[in-house]
Amino acid sequence: MGVLPVPAEVRAILLDIEGTTTPIAFVQETLFPYIKDNVKEYLRAHWEEEECQRDVGLLRKQAQEDSSLDGAVPIPLESGSGEEELERVIQAVVDNVHWQMSMDRKTTALKQLQGHMWRAAYATGLVKGEIFKDVVPAIRKWREAGMKVYIYSSGSIEAQKLLFGYSTEGDILELFDGHFDTKIGPKVESESYRRIAASIGCATNNILFLTDIPREANAAEEADTHVAVVIRPGNAGLTDDEKSYYSLISSFTELFLPSST
Ligand SMILES: CSCCC(=O)C(=O)COP(=O)(O)O
Ligand SMILES: [Mg+2]
């Protein structure tokens, strides 16, 4: 590690969040416990709202797709009215959310609900999005050098905007030219990177993707996107093969842009 020259053809930097811009500990020890602790109350309070019903509908559909998986939790339709019936369905949603989270599933259904639930946590100041110190100054420099900067996270776009809008560095949403989540496709599938390039309006090799997860780096690379794996405190260790194969950085300041002499 030290200095990583950015290929001259790169026009856009695509950033993962957890383990890249943000400590894994913040996601695992602050954001996720908030969901586990509050999901039942949230569902009770918002059940009649259209957005909540859409989220439950997505979770129910996902539960049907997951029905053959070990430990899968089905979500029944409400049959009839009454407090007891409502509680039965809400409990099934809670159990489903807990089950998905126990495996750190990245389903769009789970991520949509999480994004909606975090709104109150950020807006009331209970939670502030943690950002590594090198991130903001580096992105400012990249942008000054004419680079476009995008986010691609499994967290929903709404959750991404909350994290950066209410961050330890203030509201830094202006630093990003756009956001992508799993609605464009999973991060471990190369087609997602082709779709992102098409959406940005560039070729896949005009993009440099920074992530902590080798499987994601591999998918991006298969689509001919440049990649670097980010080593941050608390990230999962890499194998020796991964360490020697991928370009590695431990701080965004290690990226060297051709025009930043
Ligand atoms: C952006 S909100 C919290 C992040 C999250 O829910 C998640 O699953 C992290 O995934 P990433 O793709 O950013 O590693
Ligand atoms: Mg990550």
Side-chain angles (χ1 to χ4, degrees):
M1 282 176 269
V3 171
L4 179 67
V6 175
E9 65 194 5
V10 169
R11 302 273 173 271
I13 298 182
L14 183 64
L15 299 172
D16 162 63
I17 296 179
E18 185 185 13
T20 298
T21 62
T22 296
I24 288 182
F26 170 68
V27 176
Q28 301 289 334
E29 291 165 24
T30 299
L31 288 184
F32 287 176
Y34 177 87
I35 300 295
K36 289 179 192 153
D37 294 347
N38 292 287
V39 61
K40 190 183 252 181
E41 262 330 290
Y42 177 88
L43 291 168
R44 282 178 178 152
H46 297 273
W47 191 256
E48 300 300 336
E49 295 166 20
E50 225 178 281
E51 180 185 83
C52 185
Q53 280 304 308
R54 259 199 318 274
D55 290 345
V56 171
L58 271 183
L59 286 164
R60 184 176 285 119
K61 196 159 166 272
Q62 182 66 48
Q64 283 159 0
E65 286 168 28
D66 290 343
S67 58
S68 61
L69 299 182
D70 202 25
V73 182
I75 302 176
L77 283 165
E78 265 175 278
S79 60
S81 53
E83 280 298 303
E84 241 177 67
E85 175 59 7
L86 180 63
E87 275 302 304
R88 184 179 77 95
V89 179
I90 287 179
Q91 189 57 52
V93 178
V94 171
D95 293 343
N96 179 283
V97 166
H98 280 234
W99 172 69
Q100 288 204 57
M101 291 187 72
S102 71
M103 293 179 296
D104 199 11
R105 299 283 302 284
K106 305 289 186 187
T107 65
T108 300
L110 176 64
K111 295 295 160 183
Q112 288 299 309
L113 174 73
Q114 288 177 337
H116 295 145
M117 283 187 63
W118 285 321
R119 227 183 254 149
Y122 283 106
T124 57
L126 183 69
V127 163
K128 264 190 196 314
E130 280 183 34
I131 315 287
F132 287 111
K133 283 291 171 204
D134 53 283
V135 170
V136 171
I139 296 178
R140 287 198 201 288
K141 271 184 114 176
W142 302 342
R143 291 177 63 87
E144 276 163 26
M147 199 62 81
K148 299 278 186 198
V149 181
Y150 296 86
I151 297 291
Y152 181 28
S153 168
S154 300
S156 69
I157 289 178
E158 186 155 7
Q160 299 172 18
K161 289 185 174 171
L162 288 166
L163 193 151
F164 294 115
Y166 297 93
S167 87
T168 49
E169 310 299 305
D171 179 351
I172 54 167
L173 281 170
E174 59 167 22
L175 297 181
F176 306 112
D177 294 285
H179 296 256
F180 299 96
D181 62 16
T182 53
K183 284 189 177 163
I184 203 132
K187 294 172 77 185
V188 292
E189 286 181 11
S190 52
E191 192 53 31
S192 306
Y193 300 86
R194 294 190 190 99
R195 291 197 198 108
I196 287 173
S199 166
I200 292 174
C202 66
T204 49
N205 65 357
N206 296 139
I207 298 174
L208 168 65
F209 177 49
L210 304 185
T211 180
D212 58 320
I213 306 290
R215 271 185 75 208
E216 296 174 2
N218 191 43
E221 207 177 47
E222 257 179 47
D224 205 21
T225 292
H226 296 277
V227 297
V229 172
V230 184
I231 316 280
R232 296 290 198 180
N235 284 8
L238 302 175
T239 64
D240 287 344
D241 282 353
E242 288 164 345
K243 278 186 203 153
S244 57
Y245 180 77
Y246 290 109
S247 298
L248 306 176
I249 58 168
S250 59
S251 161
F252 284 7
T253 56
E254 290 169 26
L255 285 193
F256 180 77
L257 271 54
S259 54
S260 60
T261 43

